[in-house]
Amino acid sequence: MADQISDVSVSLCSSSKYVTPFRLNYKQDGVEKTWDYIKGHDSIAILLYNKDRDVFPVVKQFRPAVYAAKIKAFTDGQKVDTDKHKGEEGMTLELCAGLMDKDKDVTEMAQAEVLEETGYKVPLENLKKITSFRNEVGVNGALMTLFYAEVTDQMKISSGGGLLDEGEQIEFLELSGKDVMRHMMDENIAKPVAMMFAFTWFFFMKDKEEVHT
Amino acid sequence: MADQISDVSVSLCSSSKYVTPFRLNYKQDGVEKTWDYIKGHDSIAILLYNKDRDVFPVVKQFRPAVYAAKIKAFTDGQKVDTDKHKGEEGMTLELCAGLMDKDKDVTEMAQAEVLEETGYKVPLENLKKITSFRNEVGVNGALMTLFYAEVTDQMKISSGGGLLDEGEQIEFLELSGKDVMRHMMDENIAKPVAMMFAFTWFFFMKDKEEVHT
């Protein structure tokens, strides 16, 4: 799948429920300072491993923020020539992931996200928390919690691909360990570093330490 | 060092040169969509290893965005009780890192950043690029380039700590490998996942592959 992206334009965003800029006014050791940040959203990501076929279910999708960063889409009113900048430039390889809803149980949310995006119905007890961290500490200090889950072919009950009625359009694919290691250091494949950490954890740390349940 | 943070308040930020929200208007397979993102900044991070003493120079600093995320400082006019929420809540452990200036050579920028924050003057030829990735793909698709550099005690020519006249206030510290592994999975220590990936690369992948120069 190479998503067909067309009719791209940029506008300044005066109000947004996803990206609200705030300023922290404070004193540090008595010196007045300010820092601009956004209200981000805590999130979850799930590293999946299908032990029946020794593959890793991951997702590929068009990410407007990555596309915009690559092509420098930062001018109000800018029109983008999509013959020159195809949607492929905004495609990322990622773990199954989603934003956190404070009112829900985090493990249940992880379960729902895996089902939506990959079609695997993982039992709750298979979802193990690895750790949590900040993706980005400069302008968005939100927390990401990383899970690990083993799945089997029997758990695959639907095709996955995200919630189309929520505008999600996600390609589900399964990578071999060899593919993972090859893609990991390939700078031509845009990807979040959280996924890179998750795979190094799987290959090098998983069997050396206790996984929190 | 626990930075003394006081007089904290939150304001909505109508214009900011650091956090400018944009909206991408586009069609995906013919369906009209929008996505809000910010104009982020490409950045560099440098994993340092002092081979004389087998330690890893890293930095600790107050990060307003992390502090705000932890205490939910997302209301215009909000005053924060700093007796209850001390600056410690916003402290992060990080690799030496900085924003990219497009007009400068990336390796020279890495060299300057290391000197500013840690006081080590690393020869350019010691700075090896590991790889590059996206920290965060949802609202900020900016690229981070990760370097690795071996340093020696002889290269330490100043105390580091950032550029005070630019408002930087950074604590420089050196961790043993044992400390690194202990801190890595400790959720009580706020840290970017880029650092976690860098250390897993050092401990598990570094000697297995070619490092790009």
Side-chain angles (χ1 to χ4, degrees), chain A residues 13-39:
Chain A
C13 188
S14 57
S15 91
S16 166
K17 66 173 179 162
Y18 299 101
V19 190
T20 314
F22 287 95
R23 179 166 293 167
L24 199 74
N25 311 283
Y26 62 104
K27 285 187 185 171
Q28 186 169 24
D29 295 340
V31 180
E32 274 190 32
K33 297 183 179 180
T34 64
W35 191 275
D36 298 346
Y37 59 99
I38 61 161
K39 177 180 176 175

Side-chain angles (χ1 to χ4, degrees), chain A residues 3 16 28 36 132 169 187, chain B residues 3 16 28-29 36 132 187:
Chain A
D3 288 5
S16 166
Q28 186 169 24
D36 298 346
S132 64
Q169 198 163 342
E187 295 178 78
Chain B
D3 288 7
S16 165
Q28 186 169 25
D29 295 340
D36 299 346
S132 64
E187 295 179 77

Side-chain angles (χ1 to χ4, degrees), chain A residues 200-201 203-209, chain B residues 181 185 200 204:
Chain A
T200 54
W201 173 85
F203 287 114
F204 306 116
M205 296 172 70
K206 179 174 161 288
D207 299 324
K208 293 185 183 154
E209 52 145 1
Chain B
M181 293 309 282
M185 305 303 276
T200 53
F204 306 115

Side-chain angles (χ1 to χ4, degrees), chain B residues 142-167:
Chain B
L143 191 75
M144 173 172 266
T145 303
L146 181 64
F147 286 89
Y148 169 67
E150 287 187 1
V151 296
T152 63
D153 284 337
Q154 216 187 349
M155 294 177 199
K156 187 92 163 90
I157 61 167
S158 65
S159 59
L163 296 177
L164 258 183
D165 56 359
E166 288 183 13

Side-chain angles (χ1 to χ4, degrees), chain A residues 5 7 15 26 28 32 37 48 60 62 68 71 91 93 107 116 123 128 131 138-139 153 156 187 192 194 204:
Chain A
I5 301 295
D7 302 84
S15 91
Y26 62 104
Q28 186 169 24
E32 274 190 32
Y37 59 99
L48 296 168
K60 209 176 150 185
F62 176 72
I71 69 173
M91 296 300 278
L93 190 67
T107 312
E116 274 171 33
K128 316 283 186 190
T131 187
V139 294
D153 283 337
K156 186 93 164 89
E187 295 178 78
F204 306 116

Side-chain angles (χ1 to χ4, degrees), chain A residues 176-194:
Chain A
S176 67
K178 207 169 173 178
D179 284 342
V180 165
M181 293 310 281
R182 198 161 44 83
H183 293 345
M184 181 127 73
M185 305 304 274
D186 181 351
E187 295 178 78
N188 293 314
I189 299 173
K191 55 192 139 16
V193 66

Side-chain angles (χ1 to χ4, degrees), chain A residues 6-11 75 77-80, chain B residues 23-26 37:
Chain A
S6 64
D7 302 84
V8 176
S9 67
V10 180
S11 44
T75 309
Q78 187 176 343
K79 303 276 180 205
V80 176
Chain B
R23 179 166 293 167
L24 199 74
N25 311 282
Y26 63 103
Y37 58 99

Side-chain angles (χ1 to χ4, degrees), chain A residues 76-91:
Chain A
D76 191 25
Q78 187 176 343
K79 303 276 180 205
V80 176
D81 178 352
T82 50
D83 287 330
K84 197 175 154 201
H85 296 296
K86 296 199 189 299
E88 192 60 32
E89 291 194 50
M91 296 300 278

